Amino acid sequence: MSALRRKFGEDYQVVNTNRGTSYTAPVKKKRQRFVEKNGRCNVQHGNLGGETSRYISDLFTTLVDLKWRWNLLIFILTYTIAWLVMASMWWIIAYIRGDLNHGHDQSYTPCVANVYNFPSAFLFFIETEATIGYGYRYITEKCPEGIILFLFQSLLGSIVDAFLIGCMFIKMSQPKKRAETLMFSQDAVISQRDGKLCLMFRVGNLRNSHMVSAQIRCKLIKSRQTPEGEFLPLDQCELDVGFGTGADQLFLVSPLTICHEINPKSPFFELSQRSLMNEQFEIVVILEGIVETTGMTCQARTSYTEDEVLWGHRFLPVMSLEEGFFRVDYSQFHSTFEVPTPLYSVKEHEEKTSLPSPAATPMLAEARGRRERVFSVDCIDTIEEQAGRLPSKLQRMSSGKEDLQRKVLKTGVQVSERASSTGDLPLKLHRMSSVPGQGDAAEERLQLRALKLSSEPLTQSTGDLQHLKPAPVPAPAPTAPQAGGRPEDNLPAKLRRMNADR
């Protein structure tokens, strides 16, 4: 089957001739490449119009770029036509002077001795041009026109020899064949190296002569559309293979693996194994260097399409240590093996690692909720419920202070919701307490200063009311000041005992 495909092409299909069943092997459509695997650019120029004259102006380069069959044809035709033209000119001189009629007359001195016809004139030109000099045919001193033609023939022959022989020499010494001994791996691979996802391929040199100042470059060929709507077919993008670190300068003695790190600056930043199946791109690799033996610059090229990029593979090692030298096994040059590789792109990996951990969440929300629960109105209702169990006289004496506390705490709850942190709550209350109310301003300021709100939660027992120890509230003007520091000290003895029992 492989032999048939090589003979008839990749589109050869296998068809069963049985009438009952038929099967056609699925053949994937061949990918149109921009650069072939051998480095030839798959581009043809057409509709040049009047621009073809530019090829004639650079005739030397045009002849060098031609194929060998056309060069040999031009070489043979140029010499043949030049010889025939010059031989015809010598025959015309002999014909005009009448030398052809006195060919065997010994008393007659011709322009060229022993030239009787066109073949003899052609032989004389060949002997003169090739400097053979048999000595049978020669120019006499009585032919000035022959001397001038001889000088012109020598100059023209030197120009033709320099042009054609120079073209042949340059074409033979071109370093294109040197690129045949520079190898590239058949496939490129994507795997992790040093903890980073990388695109890698392998290059090698089959000759013992080195490539001086070898440098490698990579281009990504991919069509794209700009945000303005402009379509760019075969847009070229540079792939970094170590330009900043000097890794692109190669010492190509043994096979090397070229690495392109996939990072946020790489065109493959969003490439994953799944998206690789739907992508269409081509990676062009260019290896340049100076041939050590000739000193000429050589360039080798190849390309990798998306079908030739293997995800999760790595190249097999080809170097081994022998006794006294290192051995390179080129039979494993193109071989790869699978390795564990993440299936997602580098962008997805960075997004996953940048998410905050639930364990590192700050406890600010919990502390704030606890502070709001402490200073809630429900706490005030609970205090009122417990304070309702006191005697009626004690309830009347404490009703004024409780109303003021209720008002202050409600205001504090509203302020705490707008505050940026729970630590700002006392400052908010102090600032609000500096504003005079509608009632007695002096009394309200004294009572607000007396209430010091702490960060500790308020208890819901009547026994803790004694530990609050508020500052004594000044009595109204007509009333005399109270003797004791606490209101309970002014109660009768019976009520004080009941309060103490509770």
Side-chain angles (χ1 to χ4, degrees):
M1 183 58 63
S2 61
L4 291 175
R5 287 191 180 277
R6 286 194 300 268
K7 183 177 180 180
F8 296 100
E10 295 294 335
D11 295 333
Y12 179 78
Q13 297 180 352
V14 180
V15 180
N16 192 354
T17 56
N18 296 333
R19 294 185 179 181
T21 59
S22 61
Y23 173 76
T24 302
V27 178
K28 188 176 181 179
K29 187 177 179 180
K30 188 177 180 180
R31 172 79 155 79
Q32 186 66 36
R33 309 179 74 101
F34 185 70
V35 177
E36 299 292 342
K37 295 294 288 185
N38 58 2
R40 186 180 65 86
C41 297
N42 194 15
V43 178
Q44 294 183 0
H45 303 283
N47 297 328
L48 296 177
E51 302 298 331
T52 54
S53 60
R54 297 177 181 268
Y55 292 98
I56 306 300
S57 61
D58 191 11
L59 184 59
F60 185 81
T61 306
T62 303
L63 292 177
V64 172
D65 290 340
L66 290 177
K67 295 183 178 181
W68 270 107
R69 53 178 176 267
W70 296 111
N71 272 279
L72 293 176
L73 179 62
I74 292 175
F75 186 85
I76 294 172
L77 288 178
T78 301
Y79 274 106
T80 302
I81 293 173
W83 292 343
L84 292 175
V85 171
M86 296 303 300
S88 300
M89 295 181 70
W90 286 111
W91 180 83
I92 291 174
I93 290 176
Y95 178 78
I96 293 176
R97 289 177 58 90
D99 297 342
L100 301 178
N101 299 327
H102 304 84
H104 299 282
D105 189 357
Q106 299 295 331
S107 61
Y108 181 75
T109 303
C111 180
V112 179
N114 299 319
V115 174
Y116 313 112
N117 47 25
F118 182 79
S120 60
F122 184 78
L123 290 174
F124 170 74
F125 168 76
I126 295 298
E127 292 176 10
T128 306
E129 179 66 25
T131 64
I132 296 175
Y134 292 115
Y136 184 70
R137 297 178 179 87
Y138 55 91
I139 301 175
T140 62
E141 67 277 2
K142 295 184 178 181
C143 184
E145 60 271 18
I147 297 175
I148 296 174
L149 182 60
F150 175 75
L151 296 177
F152 176 75
Q153 173 186 332
S154 300
L155 294 176
L156 182 63
S158 299
I159 294 174
V160 173
D161 290 343
F163 190 81
L164 292 181
I165 295 176
C167 288
M168 298 296 292
F169 176 77
I170 294 298
K171 191 168 183 64
M172 287 187 296
S173 62
Q174 274 186 331
K176 288 185 178 180
K177 294 301 179 182
R178 179 64 177 90
E180 299 292 335
T181 55
L182 296 175
M183 291 182 62
F184 296 92
S185 59
Q186 292 291 338
D187 301 313
V189 298
I190 294 180
S191 61
Q192 284 188 329
R193 172 179 282 189
D194 297 331
K196 299 176 182 179
L197 198 65
C198 299
L199 170 70
M200 294 174 286
F201 57 92
R202 180 179 279 174
V203 295
N205 183 16
L206 297 180
R207 291 187 179 272
N208 292 327
S209 59
H210 305 317
M211 292 290 295
V212 182
S213 301
Q215 184 179 10
I216 194 164
R217 295 183 294 119
C218 293
K219 294 284 187 179
L220 176 64
I221 309 297
K222 183 179 180 181
S223 301
R224 69 181 183 91
Q225 189 172 6
T226 62
E228 295 79 12
E230 180 185 4
F231 180 73
L232 301 178
L234 303 178
D235 183 47
Q236 299 185 14
C237 178
E238 187 77 18
L239 293 180
D240 186 13
V241 288
F243 178 77
T245 60
D248 58 334
Q249 304 291 332
L250 306 180
F251 182 56
L252 198 57
V253 178
S254 61
L256 299 177
T257 301
I258 309 302
C259 178
H260 164 68
E261 179 184 345
I262 301 178
N263 50 28
K265 297 181 180 180
S266 172
F268 301 126
F269 182 57
E270 302 180 1
L271 184 67
S272 62
Q273 186 185 26
R274 179 175 297 180
S275 62
L276 180 62
M277 302 177 183
N278 303 323
E279 289 286 342
Q280 287 190 357
F281 60 85
E282 186 172 349
I283 302 173
V284 179
V285 181
I286 305 172
L287 175 61
E288 293 179 341
I290 300 175
V291 182
E292 187 181 27
T293 54
T294 62
M296 303 182 69
T297 303
C298 174
Q299 185 182 93
R301 298 181 296 268
T302 190
S303 67
Y304 300 99
T305 59
E306 67 278 357
D307 298 332
E308 297 169 346
V309 178
L310 306 179
W311 189 282
H313 282 245
R314 186 179 298 166
F315 290 106
L316 283 173
V318 294
M319 294 286 295
S320 61
L321 180 60
E322 303 291 341
E323 294 183 0
F325 62 92
F326 293 92
R327 179 182 177 85
V328 180
D329 184 11
Y330 278 98
S331 63
Q332 304 294 333
F333 185 81
H334 305 285
S335 301
T336 62
F337 63 97
E338 295 186 4
V339 292
T341 305
L343 304 181
Y344 45 81
S345 63
V346 178
K347 181 180 180 181
E348 296 174 351
H349 176 70
E350 291 187 356
E351 289 177 353
K352 290 180 180 179
T353 55
S354 62
L355 293 177
S357 177
T361 305
M363 305 302 293
L364 180 60
E366 182 179 356
R368 183 174 181 177
R370 184 170 62 251
R371 182 64 60 85
E372 290 178 354
R373 289 195 300 270
V374 169
F375 294 102
S376 62
V377 184
D378 298 336
C379 182
I380 302 174
D381 297 338
T382 307
I383 295 175
E384 289 179 355
E385 181 180 356
Q386 293 181 357
R389 301 174 184 177
L390 297 175
S392 58
K393 186 175 181 179
L394 186 60
Q395 291 179 10
R396 286 195 301 269
M397 294 179 63
S398 60
S399 61
K401 293 192 292 182
E402 291 176 357
D403 293 338
L404 182 58
Q405 292 175 0
R406 181 183 181 89
K407 181 178 180 180
V408 171
L409 290 178
K410 285 185 177 180
T411 307
V413 170
Q414 296 176 0
V415 173
S416 63
E417 294 177 354
R418 295 192 300 270
S420 60
S421 64
T422 56
D424 296 337
L425 184 59
L427 298 178
K428 295 284 184 178
L429 293 176
H430 282 298
R431 284 196 294 269
M432 293 182 61
S433 63
S434 63
V435 181
Q438 297 180 0
D440 192 0
E443 179 182 358
E444 191 169 305
R445 283 198 300 272
L446 290 174
Q447 293 176 355
L448 285 175
R449 290 187 185 131
L451 292 176
K452 300 289 185 177
L453 295 179
S454 62
S455 59
E456 298 179 357
L458 297 179
T459 56
Q460 298 182 0
S461 63
T462 56
D464 295 334
L465 292 176
Q466 299 176 1
H467 298 284
L468 294 176
K469 296 183 179 179
V473 181
T479 308
Q482 297 181 2
R486 293 185 303 173
E488 290 82 2
D489 297 336
N490 300 328
L491 296 177
K494 186 177 181 179
L495 292 179
R496 285 199 302 269
R497 286 194 301 269
M498 293 176 61
N499 190 19
D501 295 337
R502 295 181 63 87

